[in-house]
Amino acid sequence: MTKHQANWSPYDNNGGSCVAIAGADYCVIAADTRMSTGYNILTRDYSKITKLADKCVMASSGFQADVKALQKLLAARHLIYQHQHNKQMGCPAMAQLLSNTLYYKRFFPYYSFNVLGGLDNEGKGCVYTYDAVGSYERVGYSSQGSGSTLIIPFLDNQLKSPSPLLLPVQDAITPLSESEAVDLVKTVFASATERDIYTGDKLEIVVLNAEGIQREFMDLRKD
Amino acid sequence: MFRNQYDTDVTTWSPAGRLFQVEYAMEAVKQGSAAIGLRSKTHVILACVNKASSELSSHQKKIFKVDDHIGVAIAGLTADGRVLSRYMRNECINYNFTYESPLPVGRLVVQLADKAQVCTQRSWKRPYGVGLLVAGLDESGAHLYYNCPSGNYFEYQAFAIGSRSQAAKTYLERRFENFMGSSREDLIKDALISVRETLQGEKLKSSICTVAVVGVGEAFHILDQETVQQLIDSFELVREDEPPAPEAGDAVADQSEASAPVAEEGAAPMDI
């Protein structure tokens, strides 16, 4: 008797990479805009980034149908929060909500690899990184998605992240200026695009700071 | 309305075909402090009187945002109003989640009315003791509805509910024909004048009234106190210079006391 195998999967991987870097008073969140399935491209112009609250932006790679469902759910929960508390959700609150929402489907997960970026309650940049079932951690920078294995070591090298195992405990914030961080993100994606077939087409960069939210685009290789 | 043997249960009819418990619920609306609504083609304004029970306490919140395109003003048992607002908010969120478009006001109002009706036909429930003025925008334009504890609802060009609302209604009846073409500012001015009518000579200040606006290209929001005070100041001055109403001979009527609503023994209030 062999185990009955499913002849279809409810999941698909639409590829792509996401990055977020936290600064002293800003946060940069970026993702490519290529959506693929297998070796094919579905579209070159799909945003993986969504604004959840005034000070909180999420970038997600993985199965975009699950990502879309997750984004809608969080948006609805945010509306409820605003009605009850008469204010927007802060980034740390949204981070916990996202974790709980993901774990809720622990036994049929959202195939969504998330990176949350924003400003914390003191106005400092914060980045939270997640796995598919809600395990999360506040970090100074992170990457998720198909290019993450190429991107993270490079960011480690450039941002000299303090290991959480070292004592004394060091701040998770990156000592870069906002424009330096944006340039770093552009460099990182240009490199990842060279070697990862699922990353490319266009780069969407979102910067959150005290002035608000700015968005810019940069072309990437289309091959 | 007097105590009688048919008014104990909401599920008991009187020989005249009335449900007294429902009518008593509507009395509760009349006891609440006034709420006023008026609309033009593109905007709807809600205004209400905020009477605190004592100088030490804060005001009751009587205007609620339900969604970007819908807001509600309540009169009566404000606790019931809060609960119904929460229901309305949920309905809007769920509809938007499923259909990715805003819930049409007309639909929401029907759902609200059906919810109220249920409470008039269950022996273990009581009717909601709150009247709601629902202001909203949808594809067919700006709308103002009034939802009754009885489960009835009506669409209005302008309406007022709560205590001394008759004074406001008298003013609105004189002016409503112009509302459809009114500008946003004129509409707010009319709303503030209506509120002043219900105050019976007491000075109109931004601390005792709340004004909210929803319109084409303008999400539902409550105006802040400073803005309201500026608006009050701008038309109070005008009032001293010229006769208050444009129609001839109405200057005297404006000043007179509004008569208290006479309790009718004949027609049931729901039939009006």
Side-chain angles (χ1 to χ4, degrees):
Chain A
M1 272 310 269
T2 44
K3 188 179 174 190
H4 177 248
Q5 299 277 9
N7 53 10
W8 70 281
S9 165
Y11 297 113
D12 188 15
N13 191 346
N14 298 122
S17 315
C18 310
V19 161
I21 301 178
D25 60 351
Y26 66 88
C27 187
V28 179
I29 302 100
D32 70 322
T33 61
R34 173 178 286 177
M35 188 180 188
S36 41
T37 174
Y39 287 123
N40 301 310
I41 292 180
L42 288 171
T43 178
R44 298 189 190 276
D45 196 8
Y46 190 82
S47 175
K48 297 190 201 23
I49 303 181
T50 183
K51 174 182 141 176
L52 293 176
D54 272 350
K55 301 205 172 146
C56 189
V57 169
M58 178 171 81
S60 321
S61 94
F63 181 37
Q64 290 301 322
D66 273 356
V67 167
K68 186 67 151 205
L70 185 60
Q71 289 171 352
K72 284 177 73 156
L73 226 177
L74 292 172
R77 289 299 303 271
H78 185 222
L79 246 185
I80 295 173
Y81 181 98
Q82 282 178 81
H83 283 143
Q84 289 177 344
H85 297 90
N86 225 18
K87 63 171 190 170
Q88 296 259 332
M89 261 176 110
C91 203
M94 188 58 87
Q96 185 66 56
L97 177 63
L98 174 54
S99 170
N100 293 144
T101 306
L102 291 168
Y103 197 80
Y104 204 71
K105 273 170 63 73
R106 170 67 178 81
F107 300 110
F108 183 12
Y110 289 105
Y111 197 95
S112 168
F113 299 98
N114 309 295
V115 146
L116 200 70
L119 301 172
D120 67 12
N121 297 323
E122 292 157 22
K124 295 197 208 133
C126 61
V127 170
Y128 295 89
T129 190
Y130 294 78
D131 71 0
V133 284
S135 163
Y136 81 111
E137 185 189 4
R138 181 172 178 176
V139 286
Y141 60 91
S142 180
S143 173
Q144 294 280 355
S146 58
S148 64
T149 46
L150 301 167
I151 294 172
I152 285 261
F154 183 64
L155 289 179
D156 283 341
N157 175 270
Q158 294 298 303
L159 300 175
K160 298 191 181 66
S161 163
S163 164
L165 302 169
L166 286 174
L167 290 174
V169 172
Q170 285 176 290
D171 212 1
I173 306 301
T174 315
L176 282 182
S177 77
E178 189 183 302
S179 52
E180 283 173 333
V182 171
D183 283 340
L184 178 60
V185 160
K186 289 179 178 173
T187 312
V188 144
F189 264 92
S191 301
T193 304
E194 293 290 312
R195 292 287 185 173
D196 176 24
I197 58 173
Y198 300 109
T199 301
D201 291 328
K202 213 162 62 183
L203 172 62
E204 181 183 6
I205 307 174
V206 171
V207 179
L208 253 132
N209 54 26
E211 274 103 66
I213 302 188
Q214 288 85 42
R215 185 192 302 253
E216 78 175 273
F217 291 92
M218 184 186 93
D219 267 358
L220 296 170
R221 280 185 66 160
K222 296 179 176 3
D223 65 356
Chain B
M1 235 177 280
F2 305 109
R3 196 105 183 36
N4 53 65
Q5 55 180 148
Y6 307 109
D7 67 356
T8 311
D9 258 317
V10 74
T11 48
T12 305
W13 287 100
S14 81
R18 295 157 72 161
L19 289 170
F20 280 103
Q21 278 295 309
V22 178
E23 293 179 27
Y24 294 167
M26 290 163 66
E27 273 306 302
V29 177
K30 293 181 199 162
Q31 302 302 329
S33 53
I36 288 143
L38 15 58
R39 70 149 166 140
S40 72
K41 213 160 164 194
T42 52
H43 288 82
V44 194
I45 312 290
L46 291 174
C48 69
V49 173
N50 280 37
K51 280 294 175 62
S53 50
S54 86
E55 272 188 29
L56 298 168
S57 82
S58 63
H59 302 132
Q60 278 278 23
K61 191 164 170 202
K62 280 163 54 83
I63 298 189
F64 298 92
K65 175 169 174 169
V66 168
D67 204 345
D68 282 339
H69 66 299
I70 302 179
V72 64
I74 63 174
L77 262 54
T78 46
D80 283 2
R82 250 196 345 266
V83 158
L84 287 175
S85 302
R86 197 161 60 224
Y87 168 76
M88 291 165 80
R89 286 167 175 170
N90 261 336
E91 291 301 299
C92 284
I93 289 173
N94 289 334
Y95 186 94
N96 210 322
F97 187 93
T98 310
Y99 299 102
E100 298 240 345
S101 74
L103 176 58
V105 207
R107 298 269 209 97
L108 179 60
V109 156
V110 176
Q111 283 175 259
L112 204 53
D114 288 347
K115 194 170 161 70
Q117 190 280 339
V118 167
C119 298
T120 67
Q121 212 175 5
R122 307 276 184 271
S123 59
W124 63 91
K125 285 178 182 262
R126 64 157 177 82
Y128 288 106
V130 65
L132 301 113
L133 282 171
V134 183
L137 236 56
D138 63 25
E139 283 166 357
S140 51
H143 299 276
L144 174 69
Y145 292 92
Y146 171 54
N147 276 69
C148 245
S150 61
N152 278 332
Y153 66 96
F154 307 95
E155 185 164 4
Y156 284 95
Q157 189 70 46
F159 200 48
I161 56 177
S163 70
R164 296 196 283 237
S165 58
Q166 190 51 54
K169 272 190 274 197
T170 311
Y171 174 79
L172 292 168
E173 273 166 31
R174 275 208 305 273
R175 299 290 300 264
F176 79 94
E177 266 144 4
N178 300 325
F179 286 167
M180 241 358 202
S182 276
S183 72
R184 178 183 179 278
E185 284 61 42
D186 282 341
L187 221 53
I188 298 179
K189 186 167 129 182
D190 280 320
L192 285 168
I193 297 177
S194 312
V195 170
R196 192 182 55 196
E197 297 298 304
T198 69
L199 292 172
Q200 304 286 61
E202 195 189 321
K203 187 157 170 37
L204 177 64
K205 293 179 290 212
S206 65
S207 54
I208 51 166
C209 78
T210 310
V211 181
V213 187
V214 64
V216 173
E218 190 178 355
F220 183 90
H221 65 284
I222 298 178
L223 301 179
D224 64 273
Q225 298 283 52
E226 278 169 35
T227 315
V228 176
Q229 190 58 49
Q230 279 166 14
L231 289 158
I232 293 173
D233 293 336
S234 67
F235 79 73
E236 284 281 50
L237 293 164
V238 173
R239 187 175 198 253
E240 282 166 33
D241 297 338
E242 41 178 279
E247 284 92 54
D250 272 339
V252 176
D254 233 30
Q255 303 284 355
S256 66
E257 299 283 319
S259 55
V262 177
E264 289 184 9
E265 301 289 0
M270 305 168 264
D271 294 339
I272 298 166

